[in-house]
Amino acid sequence: RFNMKQEVILVLDFGGQYSELIARRVREEQVYCEILPYDTALEVIKGKNPKGIILTGGPSSVANPDSPKCGMEIFELGVPVLGICYGAQLIAHLFGGQVEKAPQREYGKCMVEWDVNAKLFEGLDDKSVCWMSHTDYIKTLPSGFNNTAHTEKCPVAAFEDSNRGIYAVQFHPEVTHTELGQKVIRNFIFNICKCSGDWTTQNFVD
């Protein structure tokens, strides 16, 4: 039985290979996490009363009219949202930015330099090795968003609008190849979503 008082982070799955891993990383921080399909009805999402929402990666290109997309209502719930890889490109696309095929595909370990004043990267070193896997890239950001990270080939490796509680990373913080990835996830869960981290798998079993 779902406990309404229990804090929950929702993961909206866009077909990414790491969706389960993202949820596992959240649960490792003792925060309950549930995966839902990207097209889950808004009422269902509201009913879960999430503390935060994560949009996963996926194999599609946002420019494709048939690619999976969520509604803008997700960003109007007053709940922080984190887009990862495809999720980041989707946010840029939905808000009017430009997402295009990258001149060079990035795949594998890359050095990412980020702004340590950005909420996602607070308390971290100013650069770190991250795992990239994308064919498209964000060419221009929508208005109201700040670019918070870049790599040699990727001008926008992360961005945010902290006033609206929207955050995005082009890399994959959930994989072990991203050296400070768990700290990025922790910053989202605790500093941004204000979770308390008092959930355990034993509670779940009970």
Side-chain angles (χ1 to χ4, degrees):
R1 196 170 61 83
F2 186 76
N3 175 3
M4 276 303 289
K5 290 198 185 77
Q6 178 174 278
E7 295 179 334
V8 60
I9 297 282
L10 292 181
V11 171
L12 295 189
D13 185 6
F14 288 87
Q17 57 179 328
Y18 298 129
S19 301
E20 290 286 349
L21 185 55
I22 294 168
R24 195 171 94 203
R25 293 289 181 236
V26 173
R27 291 179 197 132
E28 281 170 5
E29 296 299 331
Q30 294 189 300
V31 175
Y32 180 63
C33 187
E34 202 174 319
I35 302 173
L36 297 173
Y38 73 90
D39 55 357
T40 298
L42 192 68
E43 289 312 307
V44 174
I45 291 169
K46 275 186 184 169
K48 302 275 185 192
N49 197 23
K51 293 281 283 186
I53 295 171
I54 298 175
L55 312 181
T56 74
S60 309
S61 170
V62 291
N64 183 336
D66 301 329
S67 66
K69 295 181 178 75
C70 59
M72 289 297 281
E73 304 86 13
I74 292 291
F75 307 100
E76 288 153 19
L77 292 172
V79 169
V81 177
L82 171 63
I84 295 176
C85 198
Y86 176 83
Q89 294 171 2
L90 180 62
I91 290 170
H93 175 77
L94 289 173
F95 281 89
Q98 262 181 304
V99 179
E100 292 183 0
K101 200 169 183 63
Q104 285 176 293
R105 179 179 182 229
E106 263 189 315
Y107 184 78
K109 291 179 180 179
C110 300
M111 184 61 76
V112 176
E113 293 185 47
W114 48 50
D115 177 2
V116 290
N117 295 312
K119 282 192 171 183
L120 271 185
F121 309 124
E122 213 176 320
L124 275 56
D125 298 339
D126 60 359
K127 57 176 181 281
S128 181
V129 171
C130 297
W131 186 259
M132 287 281 196
S133 173
H134 62 104
T135 312
D136 291 352
Y137 82 125
I138 295 154
K139 190 178 179 185
T140 55
L141 276 177
S143 63
F145 288 89
N146 296 319
N147 187 357
T148 55
H150 66 274
T151 71
E152 203 182 321
K153 296 177 188 166
C154 183
V156 181
F159 60 95
E160 67 175 43
D161 178 350
S162 56
N163 294 328
R164 282 186 285 190
I166 304 169
Y167 303 84
V169 291
Q170 182 59 72
F171 57 88
H172 287 276
E174 68 278 16
V175 302
T176 49
H177 300 304
T178 297
E179 289 172 0
L180 297 176
Q182 192 64 17
K183 289 186 176 176
V184 172
I185 289 170
R186 206 173 290 150
N187 275 348
F188 180 68
I189 296 169
F190 298 116
N191 298 1
I192 294 169
C193 298
K194 308 292 185 200
C195 290
S196 56
D198 55 6
W199 177 81
T200 62
T201 43
Q202 190 53 49
N203 300 356
F204 189 56
V205 172
D206 294 343

